[in-house]
Amino acid sequence: MYMNKLKKMPVRYPINATLELTLRCNLKCKMCMFRHGDEADSRLMKGELSSAQWEDLIKEMFDAGVLNILITGGEPLLRKDFCEIYESMYRRGFIITVYTNATLITEKVMETFRRCPPHRIGITLYGASNETYERLCGSRDGFDRAIEGARTLSTLPSEIEFRTTVVKDNRHETKAVSDIIKQEFDLPVTHSTTVFQGVRGGCMPIAECRLSPEENVDLLVERTLERVRELFPPERRDQIGLKPIDAKQYCASEKNKFTLLGCQGGMNSFTITWDGKLLGCQMLDCFSTDAVKNGFLRAWEEWPNTVHLPEVDPTCTACPYITFCQVCPAVRMAECGNLSGRPEYVCQITKVLLSDRRGNNEKDLQKS
Amino acid sequence: MNKKYRAKECYIHRKVADNDVLISVGANVANFNGYITLNPSASFIWDSLKEPKTADELTKLMTEEFEVSEDVAYSDVKNFLEMLQRNSMVNVYE
């Protein structure tokens, strides 16, 4: 059956690359889905691609037509050779985004970034105080360092984006984070509201620290309304063009899109991991090819042959909310440990969002 | 009339999925943070502007490269150079 599907596959272009330079990180966040134990650091470091291997891959990706590169980790600035790898890719001509926790902004990094400013820098904040950083990320001065790093990075011509991940330990500072960033940088903060369990060997007990489905939906609604208020102040309210979706039509159009993982993963985007595997999605490593051994192009071309998805839980297949649900193979693997299970946490979030709170949400939107 | 134009170095010209694109780099990302797609003639003119050239010199190169009359080539070159100037993508020498 899967071979038949592959025969119908449209031309794939490797446009968007995520380069995971390292899985190591100087912060030890409780909710990091990739975090390994401290004892794994030396093993991870030994297995990382060298700067020469990255440079070879980057040349191959350039030749293959990659346009956008997201540099991420772990914390990519933890690599001592970050500047060399970064500059070699910048000189070729990509649209580059760097994700960082902003706590490791050295003069050497800034000297490189001043000459070769990234197009975008995504700064992740985990709270609005050192106390929260210590409790959540194991860093006593993490907040001070992150804010100082953000100030330094904001002197670059790059577009700066602030992001945060909200869990139980920093929920009380959600507004404070937004207020600080608005006051200091006049920018909004993007909130990750759903945190999945550890993947690819990540060992954090994430289920213990993440928000309940109800808290998650409350935060999502709260943030959405705040964003609507920001984008449409009272004098522009009449410009809001919210229209109800025809669910049947929407579901049918979604089903007609050709995908391998339910998204653009592996169709026009991919990840190269710290040890040189090519993945369709950074969260999912059960389908992979070897980009170092086989070369990038062959790894990209052969990757679809590795994808074999089983039938999913029949409850999901029959669920009327499936198209609105965040479930995908990567989420099933993270939450259930297999590719077919029904992730209860995600299922609950969808039900709360679309069913249980539906009346309240509509009222909230009307009030706003 | 004898103005010479030269492409600024704050763009990198490359191929992406069979398209010619210019990627904005360096301090220029503050002014333009993204990329521009070029058609074949725009791509040819941009490459020719690595060295300073006048509109007449570019017109001559265009007629040699593409099956196009001198009048049409000159008009295309003028329009493209004006667009490049408007967007600060070329240095101009009198």
Side-chain angles (χ1 to χ4, degrees):
Chain A
M1 191 181 102
Y2 213 78
M3 288 312 287
N4 285 338
K5 181 170 182 173
L6 290 183
K7 280 180 195 164
K8 294 177 193 164
M9 191 165 60
V11 179
R12 298 157 55 243
Y13 292 102
I15 303 291
N16 305 306
T18 296
L19 306 187
E20 177 191 84
L21 297 192
T22 179
L23 262 193
R24 295 175 293 124
C25 187
N26 59 316
L27 297 183
K28 309 296 174 193
C29 300
K30 287 181 185 173
M31 69 297 192
C32 176
M33 61 171 68
F34 298 113
R35 190 186 153 198
H36 286 55
D38 291 345
E39 71 289 351
D41 264 14
S42 60
R43 176 178 62 80
L44 293 175
M45 200 167 165
K46 275 182 200 160
E48 284 173 6
L49 300 187
S50 67
S51 53
Q53 285 172 310
W54 276 116
E55 282 166 27
D56 287 347
L57 276 173
I58 288 159
K59 182 185 179 310
E60 290 178 63
M61 284 186 254
F62 174 86
D63 292 340
V66 169
L67 175 62
N68 299 301
I69 288 185
L70 167 63
I71 301 172
T72 184
E75 171 51 48
L77 298 181
L78 199 55
R79 277 191 71 127
K80 289 198 172 82
D81 54 2
F82 170 82
C83 293
E84 290 72 34
I85 298 170
Y86 173 82
E87 193 159 347
S88 81
M89 75 176 83
Y90 194 90
R91 296 281 173 210
R92 290 191 178 276
F94 296 101
I95 304 286
I96 297 184
T97 301
V98 177
Y99 277 2
T100 177
N101 60 37
T103 61
L104 299 173
I105 310 303
T106 61
E107 184 43 44
K108 186 182 176 192
V109 167
M110 283 305 290
E111 192 271 324
T112 304
F113 280 175
R114 275 191 286 269
R115 273 186 293 110
C116 308
H119 296 81
R120 279 170 214 96
I121 303 175
I123 299 172
T124 314
L125 291 177
Y126 298 106
S129 66
N130 282 330
E131 291 71 31
T132 297
Y133 263 76
E134 183 170 15
R135 197 164 55 245
L136 189 59
C137 315
S139 170
R140 281 185 190 174
D141 60 350
F143 176 70
D144 287 346
R145 286 167 59 188
I147 281 292
E148 194 50 45
R151 284 184 192 127
T152 309
L153 291 169
S154 71
T155 62
L156 296 166
S158 312
E159 184 182 321
I160 307 282
E161 297 168 346
F162 285 95
R163 309 178 306 138
T164 188
T165 303
V166 184
V167 289
K168 284 178 183 163
D169 279 328
N170 63 5
R171 175 70 178 96
H172 63 291
E173 288 185 348
T174 311
K175 188 173 180 310
V177 170
S178 296
D179 289 347
I180 288 169
I181 298 309
K182 175 77 184 161
Q183 197 180 336
E184 281 237 11
F185 304 96
D186 196 24
L187 288 171
V189 178
T190 302
H191 292 67
S192 287
T193 54
T194 307
V195 180
F196 300 116
Q197 301 208 47
V199 293
R200 296 175 48 208
C203 65
M204 287 293 93
I206 291 170
E208 291 170 20
C209 72
R210 65 187 176 185
L211 303 179
S212 70
E214 290 76 16
E215 288 171 320
N216 194 301
V217 172
D218 284 345
L219 179 65
L220 181 67
V221 172
E222 179 188 311
R223 288 298 307 157
T224 305
L225 293 178
E226 268 178 43
R227 197 76 187 112
V228 170
R229 287 186 198 107
E230 280 166 19
L231 291 171
F232 297 99
E235 64 275 15
R236 290 181 59 202
R237 285 286 154 80
D238 59 343
Q239 293 176 13
I240 299 179
L242 293 179
K243 286 180 188 165
I245 297 172
D246 181 331
K248 275 186 188 167
Q249 212 173 32
Y250 178 72
C251 294
S253 69
E254 287 296 296
K255 274 183 184 169
N256 286 335
K257 287 181 187 165
F258 186 98
T259 70
L260 288 163
L261 296 178
C263 61
Q264 287 307 301
M267 293 304 295
N268 64 20
S269 65
F270 63 91
T271 294
I272 303 289
T273 64
W274 57 284
D275 55 351
K277 286 183 189 146
L278 186 146
L279 311 179
C281 164
Q282 195 186 8
M283 281 174 64
L284 193 63
D285 67 350
C286 57
F287 310 128
S288 71
T289 46
D290 192 327
V292 172
K293 193 172 154 193
N294 300 327
F296 168 75
L297 200 56
R298 193 173 143 202
W300 167 254
E301 283 169 356
E302 291 183 353
W303 182 81
N305 302 326
T306 69
V307 181
H308 297 282
L309 293 172
E311 293 292 322
V312 299
D313 188 305
T315 325
C316 288
T317 320
C319 178
Y321 301 142
I322 188 68
T323 314
F324 300 97
C325 184
Q326 291 182 68
V327 74
C328 69
V331 168
R332 287 184 203 279
M333 182 57 89
E335 292 292 312
C336 310
N338 61 63
L339 291 163
S340 58
R342 182 177 65 88
E344 181 61 29
Y345 180 67
V346 179
C347 186
Q348 287 303 319
I349 288 173
T350 310
K351 283 180 179 162
V352 173
L353 185 65
L354 290 175
S355 177
D356 301 345
R357 277 192 51 94
R358 188 174 236 177
N360 289 339
N361 292 350
E362 282 174 5
K363 280 179 211 154
D364 290 344
L365 277 171
Q366 280 162 10
K367 267 191 249 164
S368 81
Chain B
M1 195 64 183
N2 290 321
K3 274 184 199 169
K4 288 206 170 195
Y5 302 84
R6 187 174 193 272
K8 285 191 179 173
E9 288 177 355
C10 50
Y11 289 92
I12 294 176
H13 183 191
R14 56 166 295 204
K15 287 266 185 197
V16 172
D18 298 331
N19 293 308
D20 282 279
V21 296
L22 294 179
I23 311 277
S24 173
V25 292
N28 194 49
V29 303
N31 308 318
F32 179 69
N33 194 327
Y35 68 94
I36 297 163
T37 307
L38 300 175
N39 66 22
S41 55
S43 172
F44 176 77
I45 297 173
W46 182 265
D47 277 349
S48 305
L49 289 172
K50 278 179 188 162
E51 299 300 328
K53 299 234 172 11
T54 64
D56 288 344
E57 287 168 335
L58 289 167
T59 303
K60 186 168 183 296
L61 289 171
M62 281 280 282
T63 55
E64 287 165 6
E65 182 70 16
F66 299 96
E67 285 182 14
V68 62
S69 71
E70 198 175 318
D71 289 349
V72 171
Y74 184 72
S75 166
D76 284 356
V77 165
K78 285 282 281 181
N79 287 338
F80 189 54
L81 288 175
E82 275 168 25
M83 191 276 287
L84 294 177
Q85 260 189 289
R86 225 175 18 249
N87 292 285
S88 305
M89 294 172 72
V90 281
N91 290 316
V92 185
Y93 308 94
E94 297 290 340

